[in-house]
Amino acid sequence: MTHLHLSPVIAATLSVTAATSHAATPPATKSHSVRPNIILFMVDDMGWQDTSLPFWKEKTRYNEMFRTPNMERLAARGMKFTQAYACSVSSPSRVSLITGANAARHKVTNWTLKKDGDTDIRSDEVTTAGWNLNGASRVGGTDATFVSPSSFVDELRKSGYHTIHCGKAHFGAIGTPGENPCHWGFETNIAGHGAGGLATYLSEKNFGHTPEGEPYALNAIPDLERYWGTGIFATEALTREALKALDKAKGYNQPFFLYMSHYAVHIPFDRDMRFYDSYIKRGYSPKEAAYASLVEGMDKSLGDIMDWVERNGEADNTIIIFMSDNGGLASAPEWRDGERDTQNYPLDSGKGSLHEGGIRVPMIVSWPGTTRKGSSCDDYLIIEDFYPTLLEMGGVRKYDRSHVDGFSFVPMLRGEGTTSRGRALVWNFPNIWGNTGRGINLNCAIRKDDWKLVYDYRTGRKELFNIPADISERHDMASERPDLVKKLSAELGRLLRERGATRPSFTATGKPCPWPDEIN
């Protein structure tokens, strides 16, 4: 494969209005037949190995635990990515997706919920402040908000796409403009709002509403009243609604973009009874069976959407992308000790961590006529790369790039080159999310070629790993390669400052924690 050598993006000063965006209208000679439909199938909290489709050089015992035949089916038709990265928790990933900005720039570095509500856990040692706890928006006027000039969705819409949102949004806090997917350019919104999880998957509990129709939790799922009390699981209800939206889109004589954003496989681990008993019969514990049933229900949704595409004669003209927003939980609170010690093996840690288990996610792309069937790509990419990629897929070439840190990975899909060689990926998580353990909170990190540096703001500790040689991050080489530690620390510190990143402060002194290049 030929490699492309690209330097990092140095973004221009942010525009605070969408007026400077320039959406390209396709030439009149372009028709629906040459502009592909695009489906982005996003899963919540799915571990790298929570699938029967291995994303490593070998199958693990966790791959054997799950049944995801439609993920296998999609991979057989397209390209599997073994080093796809997101952020370590939901809101940062989803804001990077919709804006194209790296989390160090947009500063939505932890999960959001209520307007002006700080979700960080308190610490006696450090104080976290300055992050955009209200999420993102396209208009100013709300404190602690990243204002994005545009979104890739609105650019697609203005260029002629019909845009559909179904499921989880989590772009802005409840009570802010960014909470509504229509604010970002979606013409149809099904069940998307400001909450990042769900009260329950169960229609028997009205998806979090009282019998009188009032939500009893902030994360009650909206818009699914017709399914209350029917016994239909939330994953299935969302899929049915998405298919109805596609049936309508079929008659619009324009290409469509569907963001199928499932709440699955986020907690609570309710039992999807279509699949639960089969796992109990295989000897799984009730909690393991419940989780496996969530995964299989999500996979069935993928299959149902693929079936619709084929049934409606759109298979050759539809791009389907599968992705997760962060790594799986390393251990769920309701699991007994030893019941499951990880969801991400052989990766270390899980959601909330900048070690591989928290940020490396399953990803598949099927683009008929472009991706080679059954292929695999070992080059790395990150969630903000979706912004320029999806616009290139849709033929939109003129748009405001001032806030975009991502690179298009279309060359990888075509087998023409890579954007990963010599490129630095950056994560900034100066927050306390909730888990404890090695490398969970108050970190930043850089990945460049084979090497990854993880820096702890609180302690000043630096870890260095050769990822291809040590995928589990067990051999810290910081003491063996001080030259490389210094080099990566300098680049990480520079990029964080250039992007206006936030950092925590020491509570006792009020002084900010050092940048990674300020500590030897």
Side-chain angles (χ1 to χ4, degrees):
M1 179 181 290
T2 302
H3 293 283
L4 303 179
H5 298 271
L6 299 177
S7 59
V9 172
I10 306 298
T13 303
L14 282 175
S15 167
V16 295
T17 71
T20 57
S21 283
H22 302 286
T25 301
T29 54
K30 284 203 171 185
S31 66
H32 173 74
S33 63
V34 297
R35 301 191 72 205
N37 306 308
I38 306 171
I39 298 173
L40 175 53
F41 191 97
M42 182 70 74
V43 188
D44 196 5
D45 285 6
M46 183 178 181
W48 192 60
Q49 295 292 310
D50 285 354
T51 166
S52 56
L53 176 69
F55 284 84
W56 196 33
K57 60 186 178 183
E58 60 189 58
K59 266 201 169 187
T60 70
R61 60 193 176 101
Y62 292 104
N63 295 136
E64 301 292 346
M65 292 183 66
F66 297 98
R67 291 194 298 255
T68 56
N70 294 297
M71 288 182 68
E72 296 181 39
R73 174 182 167 196
L74 185 64
R77 299 181 182 187
M79 180 177 287
K80 178 175 68 174
F81 283 80
T82 63
Q83 296 194 83
Y85 287 107
C87 299
S88 61
V89 292
S90 177
S91 292
S93 282
R94 291 167 189 268
V95 172
S96 287
L97 169 71
I98 202 75
T99 69
N102 180 259
R105 185 181 306 282
H106 64 60
K107 293 186 276 294
V108 186
T109 47
N110 205 353
W111 64 286
T112 62
L113 186 57
K114 295 186 290 185
K115 184 179 180 180
D116 298 330
D118 192 343
T119 57
D120 269 16
I121 291 178
R122 300 295 177 225
S123 165
D124 293 333
E125 293 182 72
V126 294
T127 301
T128 59
W131 70 282
N132 283 327
L133 51 83
N134 284 322
S137 174
R138 295 184 60 197
V139 296
T142 305
D143 292 339
T145 298
F146 175 70
V147 179
S148 179
S150 187
S151 76
F152 79 84
V153 179
D154 206 35
E155 299 293 354
L156 287 174
R157 181 193 62 80
K158 288 186 291 186
S159 73
Y161 273 78
H162 176 56
T163 53
I164 307 165
H165 179 285
C166 183
K168 174 175 171 173
H170 213 198
F171 304 124
I174 296 170
T176 68
E179 71 171 325
N180 185 350
C182 296
H183 177 80
W184 297 100
F186 287 103
E187 295 166 291
T188 298
N189 172 37
I190 303 161
H193 64 139
L198 70 171
T200 175
Y201 290 90
L202 302 178
S203 57
E204 298 90 328
K205 297 182 179 180
N206 297 343
F207 305 124
H209 296 79
T210 66
E212 294 73 33
E214 294 298 319
Y216 60 77
L218 287 173
N219 54 357
I221 308 176
D223 302 334
L224 299 181
E225 291 85 354
R226 71 182 63 192
Y227 299 98
W228 289 3
T230 63
I232 295 173
F233 208 68
T235 307
E236 175 68 12
L238 290 171
T239 305
R240 293 186 183 187
E241 291 301 298
L243 295 178
K244 290 178 185 177
L246 289 178
D247 284 338
K248 286 186 177 180
K250 183 174 59 175
Y252 290 170
N253 194 34
Q254 61 185 130
F256 64 78
F257 171 70
L258 167 64
Y259 182 44
M260 183 70 241
S261 179
H262 273 295
Y263 288 97
V265 291
H266 196 286
I267 58 173
F269 297 143
D270 291 327
R271 302 171 181 179
D272 190 333
M273 295 308 297
R274 296 173 295 171
F275 311 105
Y276 175 79
D277 286 340
S278 68
Y279 291 101
I280 290 293
K281 291 175 182 177
R282 292 172 64 183
Y284 290 37
S285 73
K287 291 183 177 67
E288 289 172 333
Y291 184 72
S293 74
L294 276 180
V295 172
E296 188 165 356
M298 172 279 299
D299 184 80
K300 178 186 180 296
S301 173
L302 175 64
D304 289 346
I305 289 172
M306 293 174 69
D307 289 346
W308 184 96
V309 170
E310 294 171 8
R311 188 168 61 248
N312 286 274
E314 296 286 352
D316 292 336
N317 194 44
T318 301
I319 300 168
I320 302 179
I321 307 171
F322 182 100
M323 183 73 164
S324 177
D325 66 345
N326 49 249
L329 291 167
S331 58
E334 61 266 44
W335 282 328
R336 296 189 304 270
D337 289 343
E339 191 165 36
R340 283 210 35 181
D341 54 359
T342 178
Q343 293 174 282
N344 304 299
Y345 176 86
L347 307 182
D348 179 61
S349 199
K351 181 179 179 178
S353 171
L354 296 187
H355 290 95
E356 293 291 286
I359 54 177
R360 192 188 287 211
V361 293
M363 177 179 162
I364 312 164
V365 181
S366 172
W367 186 353
T370 298
T371 51
R372 185 164 53 87
K373 292 183 178 181
S375 59
S376 182
C377 180
D378 297 323
D379 296 317
Y380 57 71
L381 54 83
I382 194 168
I383 186 70
E384 56 260 29
D385 294 341
F386 277 65
Y387 192 109
T389 301
L390 291 165
L391 291 181
E392 184 173 350
M393 287 173 166
V396 181
R397 290 177 171 81
K398 292 183 180 180
Y399 56 92
D400 186 349
R401 300 173 188 263
S402 63
H403 56 300
V404 177
D405 294 299
F407 290 112
S408 172
F409 53 83
V410 167
M412 300 183 195
L413 299 173
R414 290 180 173 151
E416 296 174 347
T418 176
T419 57
S420 66
R421 180 68 63 88
R423 177 193 178 190
L425 303 185
V426 171
W427 294 265
N428 193 42
F429 190 37
N431 305 80
I432 305 174
W433 172 66
N435 269 356
T436 57
R438 184 167 82 90
I440 292 293
N441 303 297
L442 297 164
N443 293 73
C444 57
I446 184 170
R447 169 81 192 268
K448 190 168 186 180
D449 295 328
D450 292 345
W451 295 94
K452 180 178 166 190
L453 178 80
V454 181
Y455 171 69
D456 189 319
Y457 281 112
R458 180 178 60 88
T459 65
R461 180 186 178 189
K462 296 177 182 179
E463 299 172 285
L464 179 69
F465 304 102
N466 184 310
I467 297 300
D470 181 24
I471 193 173
S472 299
E473 296 173 292
R474 293 298 181 221
H475 185 195
D476 178 6
M477 299 184 67
S479 61
E480 301 170 45
R481 294 294 307 273
D483 58 327
L484 191 52
V485 170
K486 183 177 181 180
K487 182 179 179 181
L488 290 174
S489 295
E491 187 164 7
L492 177 56
R494 175 180 61 81
L495 289 170
L496 290 173
R497 287 189 290 271
E498 284 178 359
R499 295 173 182 180
T502 58
R503 52 178 167 162
S505 300
F506 294 112
T507 304
T509 65
K511 292 182 178 180
C513 298
W515 295 115
D517 54 349
E518 294 176 339
I519 274 198
N520 292 324

